Amino acid sequence: VRTYGGPVQVAVDTLLETPEDVLLIERGGDVGGGAVAMVGGFVDPHEWLVEAALRELEEEAGVTIQKSDLPPALLTPYDYPRRSMRGRIITNLLHIRLPARVPLKAGDDARRAFWLPKSDLPNVKRQFFSDHYHIVQQAITRGA
């Protein structure tokens, strides 16, 4: 039984993209364990959205980016009411483009962090958590 009542939760996801690749993680934990996903998580009560996204990026993939190094960040909300089986979760996508891959180190609730060639995305579509595949594809396609 799906229930969408209760509090609305706020999350962030980060799409780190190079000209050829995207950064993904393999989720650990009970919810979606083993699924492929973007780096992300819930926003702490004291955090700004961009700060939460950068914190999750460091915790889950070992990538440190300073807020001051970002161009003025445009966060794209994804708020489809039934995007998650866990209830109403609105995520905000931080899309960062890098010229080349950077080293990764999985941590927190990510079993592993890895670079996936964009051309391989359709091959792992069924392994994605929730609506992450569609968000990644949409962001890459429209440059969001």
Side-chain angles (χ1 to χ4, degrees), residues 4 6-13 40-43 49 52 75-84 86-93 130-132 135:
Y4 296 99
V8 174
Q9 299 176 69
V10 179
V12 289
D13 287 298
F42 291 106
V43 177
L49 295 173
L75 293 164
T76 304
Y78 287 86
D79 62 347
Y80 176 62
R82 295 186 177 184
R83 64 173 296 269
S84 177
R86 297 176 289 168
R88 181 73 195 271
I89 301 172
I90 298 171
T91 195
N92 299 274
L93 180 68
S130 186
D131 60 350
H132 285 218
I135 292 173

Side-chain angles (χ1 to χ4, degrees), residues 12-14 16 39-41 43 47-71 73 75 92 94-96:
V12 289
D13 287 298
T14 299
L16 204 56
V39 168
V43 177
E47 288 181 305
W48 294 92
L49 295 173
V50 171
E51 291 168 352
L54 295 175
R55 172 184 52 80
E56 290 287 347
L57 184 60
E58 187 169 359
E59 289 175 359
E60 294 185 353
V63 176
T64 302
I65 297 177
Q66 300 300 319
K67 185 177 177 183
S68 59
D69 293 335
L70 294 174
L75 293 164
N92 299 274
L94 177 61
H95 190 171
I96 301 172

